[in-house]
Amino acid sequence: MSVPAGDASPVARPATAGALLANARTRLRAAGIDTADLDARLLVASLLGLSAARLIVDGDRAVGEGEAERVSAAVSRRAAGEPVGRILGEREFWGIAFRLNEATLEPRPDSETIVEAALAACEGRDRPLRILDLGTGTGCLLVALLTEWPEASGIGVDLSPRALDAARANAEDAGVGARALFVQADLGRPVAAGLDLVVSNPPYIPSGDIAGLDREVRLHDPRLALDGGADGLDPYRRLLNWVGGALRPGGTVVLEVAPDGAGAVAGLGEDAGFSVLEVRADLAGRPRAVVLRCAN
Ligand code: GLN
Protein backbone atom coordinates (compact mmCIF):
# COMPACT_ATOMS: atom_id res chain seq x y z
CA MET A 1 0.00 0.00 0.00
CA SER A 2 1.42 3.38 -0.89
CA VAL A 3 1.39 6.35 1.45
CA PRO A 4 0.60 9.72 -0.12
CA ALA A 5 3.45 12.22 -0.02
CA GLY A 6 3.15 14.78 2.77
CA ASP A 7 2.30 18.39 2.00
CA ALA A 8 2.84 21.54 4.08
CA SER A 9 0.06 20.70 6.52
CA PRO A 10 0.45 21.10 10.30
CA VAL A 11 0.71 17.32 10.71
CA ALA A 12 3.60 16.89 8.25
CA ARG A 13 6.81 15.75 9.99
CA PRO A 14 9.70 17.26 8.02
CA ALA A 15 12.90 15.31 8.57
CA THR A 16 15.48 18.10 8.24
CA ALA A 17 15.89 21.58 9.68
CA GLY A 18 15.60 23.09 6.20
CA ALA A 19 12.36 21.25 5.47
CA LEU A 20 10.99 22.26 8.88
CA LEU A 21 11.82 25.89 8.09
CA ALA A 22 10.18 25.75 4.66
CA ASN A 23 7.07 24.19 6.19
CA ALA A 24 6.89 26.83 8.94
CA ARG A 25 7.29 29.62 6.39
CA THR A 26 4.52 28.23 4.20
CA ARG A 27 2.12 27.91 7.11
CA LEU A 28 2.79 31.43 8.42
CA ARG A 29 2.45 32.97 4.95
CA ALA A 30 -0.84 31.11 4.48
CA ALA A 31 -2.02 32.53 7.82
CA GLY A 32 -1.32 36.06 6.52
CA ILE A 33 1.51 36.83 8.95
CA ASP A 34 3.42 39.84 7.52
CA THR A 35 6.72 38.75 9.01
CA ALA A 36 6.28 35.07 8.08
CA ASP A 37 9.85 34.46 6.88
CA LEU A 38 11.55 36.15 9.81
CA ASP A 39 9.21 34.56 12.36
CA ALA A 40 9.69 31.09 10.86
CA ARG A 41 13.47 31.51 11.12
CA LEU A 42 13.29 32.74 14.72
CA LEU A 43 10.99 29.96 15.88
CA VAL A 44 12.78 27.11 14.12
CA ALA A 45 16.29 28.29 15.07
CA SER A 46 15.38 28.85 18.68
CA LEU A 47 13.44 25.60 19.15
CA LEU A 48 16.23 23.58 17.51
CA GLY A 49 18.84 25.38 19.61
CA LEU A 50 20.60 26.81 16.53
CA SER A 51 21.73 30.34 15.74
CA ALA A 52 20.04 31.93 12.72
CA ALA A 53 23.30 31.50 10.78
CA ARG A 54 23.63 27.80 11.70
CA LEU A 55 20.07 27.19 10.60
CA ILE A 56 21.05 28.28 7.08
CA VAL A 57 24.31 26.30 7.05
CA ASP A 58 22.83 23.22 8.76
CA GLY A 59 19.73 22.88 6.60
CA ASP A 60 20.42 19.13 6.33
CA ARG A 61 20.49 18.60 10.09
CA ALA A 62 18.11 15.78 11.00
CA VAL A 63 15.24 16.67 13.33
CA GLY A 64 13.59 14.37 15.80
CA GLU A 65 9.87 13.82 16.04
CA GLY A 66 9.70 15.72 19.36
CA GLU A 67 11.47 18.72 17.85
CA ALA A 68 9.19 18.73 14.83
CA GLU A 69 6.14 18.62 17.11
CA ARG A 70 7.40 21.48 19.25
CA VAL A 71 8.04 23.62 16.17
CA SER A 72 4.64 22.72 14.73
CA ALA A 73 2.88 23.73 17.96
CA ALA A 74 4.81 27.03 18.04
CA VAL A 75 3.94 27.75 14.41
CA SER A 76 0.26 27.13 15.19
CA ARG A 77 0.42 29.67 18.02
CA ARG A 78 2.12 32.25 15.79
CA ALA A 79 -0.43 31.61 13.01
CA ALA A 80 -3.16 32.35 15.59
CA GLY A 81 -1.60 35.76 16.33
CA GLU A 82 0.67 35.19 19.31
CA PRO A 83 3.97 37.10 18.97
CA VAL A 84 7.22 35.13 18.63
CA GLY A 85 8.64 36.55 21.87
CA ARG A 86 5.62 35.36 23.86
CA ILE A 87 5.85 31.87 22.35
CA LEU A 88 9.56 31.57 23.14
CA GLY A 89 9.22 33.36 26.52
CA GLU A 90 12.07 35.70 25.67
CA ARG A 91 13.05 38.47 23.32
CA GLU A 92 16.39 39.88 22.34
CA PHE A 93 17.05 43.56 23.09
CA TRP A 94 20.43 45.30 22.79
CA GLY A 95 21.94 41.88 22.01
CA ILE A 96 20.75 40.43 25.33
CA ALA A 97 18.00 37.81 25.79
CA PHE A 98 15.25 39.14 28.09
CA ARG A 99 12.74 36.77 29.56
CA LEU A 100 9.13 37.90 29.52
CA ASN A 101 6.08 37.13 31.57
CA GLU A 102 2.42 38.12 31.43
CA ALA A 103 3.14 41.34 33.36
CA THR A 104 5.90 42.64 31.09
CA LEU A 105 5.81 44.45 27.81
CA GLU A 106 7.76 42.65 25.10
CA PRO A 107 10.86 44.81 24.49
CA ARG A 108 10.81 46.47 21.05
CA PRO A 109 13.74 47.30 18.78
CA ASP A 110 12.47 50.92 18.67
CA SER A 111 13.20 51.21 22.39
CA GLU A 112 16.92 50.68 21.68
CA THR A 113 16.76 54.35 20.58
CA ILE A 114 16.35 55.24 24.29
CA VAL A 115 19.55 53.38 25.15
CA GLU A 116 21.44 55.03 22.27
CA ALA A 117 20.21 58.50 23.28
CA ALA A 118 21.20 57.94 26.91
CA LEU A 119 24.68 56.71 25.92
CA ALA A 120 25.13 59.78 23.72
CA ALA A 121 23.86 62.24 26.35
CA CYS A 122 25.93 60.95 29.30
CA GLU A 123 29.65 60.32 29.21
CA GLY A 124 29.35 57.33 31.44
CA ARG A 125 31.88 54.63 30.70
CA ASP A 126 34.17 55.29 33.66
CA ARG A 127 31.81 57.14 35.98
CA PRO A 128 29.64 55.73 38.78
CA LEU A 129 26.45 57.08 37.22
CA ARG A 130 23.19 56.60 39.12
CA ILE A 131 20.30 55.62 36.88
CA LEU A 132 16.56 55.31 37.47
CA ASP A 133 14.29 53.39 35.06
CA LEU A 134 10.59 54.18 35.58
CA GLY A 135 8.25 51.40 34.43
CA THR A 136 11.10 48.96 33.99
CA GLY A 137 9.06 45.94 32.80
CA THR A 138 11.61 43.30 31.75
CA GLY A 139 14.33 45.69 32.93
CA CYS A 140 15.59 46.01 29.36
CA LEU A 141 16.53 49.72 29.42
CA LEU A 142 18.32 49.59 32.77
CA VAL A 143 20.07 46.29 32.11
CA ALA A 144 21.28 47.42 28.67
CA LEU A 145 22.74 50.63 30.17
CA LEU A 146 24.41 48.77 33.04
CA THR A 147 26.10 46.42 30.59
CA GLU A 148 27.49 49.46 28.73
CA TRP A 149 28.61 51.34 31.85
CA PRO A 150 30.51 49.00 34.18
CA GLU A 151 30.73 51.56 37.03
CA ALA A 152 27.06 52.58 36.97
CA SER A 153 24.27 51.39 39.25
CA GLY A 154 20.54 51.78 38.96
CA ILE A 155 17.04 51.35 40.27
CA GLY A 156 14.21 49.86 38.22
CA VAL A 157 10.69 50.76 39.30
CA ASP A 158 7.48 49.03 38.29
CA LEU A 159 3.97 48.77 39.70
CA SER A 160 3.83 45.05 38.98
CA PRO A 161 5.66 42.61 41.32
CA ARG A 162 5.61 40.00 38.54
CA ALA A 163 7.38 42.39 36.17
CA LEU A 164 9.98 43.01 38.87
CA ASP A 165 10.55 39.22 39.15
CA ALA A 166 11.39 39.13 35.43
CA ALA A 167 13.57 42.24 35.65
CA ARG A 168 15.58 40.84 38.58
CA ALA A 169 16.16 37.55 36.76
CA ASN A 170 17.16 39.39 33.60
CA ALA A 171 19.64 41.60 35.48
CA GLU A 172 21.18 38.51 37.11
CA ASP A 173 21.43 36.66 33.79
CA ALA A 174 23.11 39.66 32.16
CA GLY A 175 25.67 39.80 34.98
CA VAL A 176 24.57 43.20 36.34
CA GLY A 177 22.37 42.01 39.23
CA ALA A 178 24.73 43.37 41.89
CA ARG A 179 24.38 46.90 40.48
CA ALA A 180 20.58 46.87 40.03
CA LEU A 181 17.85 47.31 42.61
CA PHE A 182 14.20 46.73 41.72
CA VAL A 183 11.45 48.49 43.62
CA GLN A 184 7.67 48.32 43.45
CA ALA A 185 6.23 51.82 43.08
CA ASP A 186 4.12 54.05 40.89
CA LEU A 187 6.18 56.13 38.48
CA GLY A 188 4.58 59.25 39.90
CA ARG A 189 6.10 58.64 43.33
CA PRO A 190 9.54 60.00 44.25
CA VAL A 191 11.75 57.00 45.02
CA ALA A 192 15.33 58.23 44.69
CA ALA A 193 17.56 61.32 44.72
CA GLY A 194 21.05 62.28 43.54
CA LEU A 195 20.42 60.75 40.11
CA ASP A 196 22.41 61.35 36.94
CA LEU A 197 19.93 59.82 34.51
CA VAL A 198 16.25 58.93 34.41
CA VAL A 199 15.01 56.74 31.56
CA SER A 200 11.46 55.65 30.92
CA ASN A 201 9.35 53.98 28.30
CA PRO A 202 6.07 54.75 30.05
CA PRO A 203 2.64 53.52 28.98
CA TYR A 204 1.66 56.03 26.28
CA ILE A 205 -1.26 54.66 24.29
CA PRO A 206 -4.41 56.80 24.77
CA SER A 207 -6.96 54.58 26.57
CA GLY A 208 -9.46 54.92 23.71
CA ASP A 209 -6.93 53.68 21.12
CA ILE A 210 -6.13 50.36 22.79
CA ALA A 211 -9.08 48.50 21.25
CA GLY A 212 -7.77 49.43 17.77
CA LEU A 213 -4.21 48.12 18.25
CA ASP A 214 -2.89 45.05 16.37
CA ARG A 215 -3.97 41.79 18.02
CA GLU A 216 -0.31 40.99 18.76
CA VAL A 217 -0.21 43.99 21.10
CA ARG A 218 -3.84 44.19 22.26
CA LEU A 219 -4.11 40.54 23.28
CA HIS A 220 -0.56 39.82 24.44
CA ASP A 221 1.00 42.92 26.03
CA PRO A 222 -0.33 43.86 29.50
CA ARG A 223 -2.76 46.78 29.53
CA LEU A 224 -0.92 48.36 32.47
CA ALA A 225 2.17 48.67 30.26
CA LEU A 226 0.22 50.33 27.43
CA ASP A 227 -2.51 52.57 28.84
CA GLY A 228 -1.36 56.20 29.11
CA GLY A 229 -4.74 57.67 30.12
CA ALA A 230 -7.11 59.83 28.07
CA ASP A 231 -4.45 61.58 25.94
CA GLY A 232 -1.57 59.12 26.46
CA LEU A 233 0.44 61.73 28.37
CA ASP A 234 -0.57 61.11 32.01
CA PRO A 235 2.54 59.08 32.91
CA TYR A 236 4.84 61.81 31.51
CA ARG A 237 3.07 64.48 33.59
CA ARG A 238 3.30 62.36 36.73
CA LEU A 239 6.98 61.56 36.39
CA LEU A 240 8.04 65.03 35.22
CA ASN A 241 6.33 66.36 38.33
CA TRP A 242 9.15 65.08 40.52
CA VAL A 243 12.21 63.86 38.61
CA GLY A 244 13.70 67.37 38.25
CA GLY A 245 14.14 67.46 42.02
CA ALA A 246 15.72 64.01 42.09
CA LEU A 247 18.41 64.74 39.48
CA ARG A 248 21.81 66.26 40.06
CA PRO A 249 22.46 69.60 38.32
CA GLY A 250 22.97 68.88 34.63
CA GLY A 251 21.20 65.53 34.96
CA THR A 252 19.44 63.92 32.01
CA VAL A 253 15.99 62.45 31.32
CA VAL A 254 15.41 60.22 28.28
CA LEU A 255 11.79 59.40 27.49
CA GLU A 256 10.39 57.12 24.83
CA VAL A 257 7.46 58.70 22.99
CA ALA A 258 4.76 57.59 20.56
CA PRO A 259 5.54 58.39 16.90
CA ASP A 260 3.36 61.53 17.14
CA GLY A 261 4.19 62.31 20.77
CA ALA A 262 7.57 64.07 20.68
CA GLY A 263 6.26 67.63 20.48
CA ALA A 264 3.82 67.24 23.36
CA VAL A 265 6.36 65.49 25.61
CA ALA A 266 9.09 68.04 24.82
CA GLY A 267 6.58 70.76 25.77
CA LEU A 268 5.78 69.03 29.07
CA GLY A 269 9.52 68.81 29.74
CA GLU A 270 9.97 72.54 29.15
CA ASP A 271 6.98 73.30 31.38
CA ALA A 272 8.70 71.26 34.10
CA GLY A 273 11.86 73.40 33.79
CA PHE A 274 14.01 71.20 31.51
CA SER A 275 15.67 72.16 28.27
CA VAL A 276 15.27 69.85 25.27
CA LEU A 277 18.69 68.48 24.32
CA GLU A 278 17.69 66.19 21.47
CA VAL A 279 14.80 64.39 19.81
CA ARG A 280 16.28 61.17 18.45
CA ALA A 281 14.67 59.14 15.66
CA ASP A 282 14.31 55.35 15.58
CA LEU A 283 15.48 53.15 12.67
CA ALA A 284 12.30 53.93 10.75
CA GLY A 285 13.04 57.66 11.06
CA ARG A 286 10.22 58.37 13.52
CA PRO A 287 10.92 60.64 16.53
CA ARG A 288 11.24 58.17 19.40
CA ALA A 289 13.39 59.53 22.24
CA VAL A 290 13.05 62.96 23.88
CA VAL A 291 16.22 63.93 25.77
CA LEU A 292 15.81 66.56 28.49
CA ARG A 293 18.49 68.29 30.50
CA CYS A 294 18.03 69.57 34.01
CA ALA A 295 18.59 73.32 33.97
CA ASN A 296 19.35 73.75 37.70
N1 GLN B 1 10.83 49.64 30.11
C1 GLN B 1 10.22 48.51 29.49
C2 GLN B 1 10.47 48.53 28.00
O1 GLN B 1 11.00 49.47 27.49
C3 GLN B 1 8.73 48.44 29.79
C4 GLN B 1 7.95 49.61 29.26
C5 GLN B 1 6.47 49.49 29.54
O2 GLN B 1 6.00 48.49 30.10
N2 GLN B 1 5.71 50.50 29.16
O3 GLN B 1 10.17 47.60 27.29
Side-chain angles (χ1 to χ4, degrees), residues 104-108 111 133-141 158 201-203 225-226 256:
T104 64
L105 193 76
E106 188 177 338
R108 308 292 208 273
S111 300
D133 178 10
L134 293 170
T136 196
T138 55
C140 60
L141 299 177
D158 207 284
N201 175 18
L226 300 174
E256 177 164 329

Side-chain angles (χ1 to χ4, degrees), residues 52-102:
R54 280 247 73 88
L55 178 60
I56 296 166
V57 180
D58 287 350
D60 291 341
R61 174 188 174 292
V63 290
E65 182 126 341
E67 286 177 320
E69 271 164 20
R70 273 194 296 283
V71 171
S72 182
V75 171
S76 297
R77 286 169 67 180
R78 181 68 197 101
E82 196 170 342
V84 170
R86 295 283 166 199
I87 297 167
L88 298 177
E90 64 175 43
R91 169 90 186 239
E92 193 176 296
F93 178 88
W94 205 256
I96 302 165
F98 284 87
R99 59 181 92 175
L100 315 172
N101 65 31
E102 74 292 342

Side-chain angles (χ1 to χ4, degrees), residues 4 24 33 52 76 114 126 128 206 232 239 259 262 266 276 278 283:
I33 302 294
S76 297
I114 312 312
D126 304 313
L239 72 89
V276 179
E278 187 194 3
L283 286 172

Side-chain angles (χ1 to χ4, degrees), residues 87-169:
I87 297 167
L88 298 177
E90 64 175 43
R91 169 90 186 239
E92 193 176 296
F93 178 88
W94 205 256
I96 302 165
F98 284 87
R99 59 181 92 175
L100 315 172
N101 65 31
E102 74 292 342
T104 64
L105 193 76
E106 188 177 338
R108 308 292 208 273
D110 293 335
S111 300
E112 293 183 350
T113 312
I114 312 312
V115 180
E116 286 167 11
L119 292 174
C122 310
E123 297 283 310
R125 174 108 204 124
D126 304 313
R127 289 201 291 145
L129 292 177
R130 287 172 49 89
I131 310 167
L132 177 65
D133 178 10
L134 293 170
T136 196
T138 55
C140 60
L141 299 177
L142 179 61
V143 169
L145 288 167
L146 291 178
T147 63
E148 294 291 330
W149 289 330
E151 304 302 323
S153 60
I155 302 173
V157 166
D158 207 284
L159 252 189
S160 159
R162 286 284 294 145
L164 294 168
D165 289 343
R168 279 190 196 100

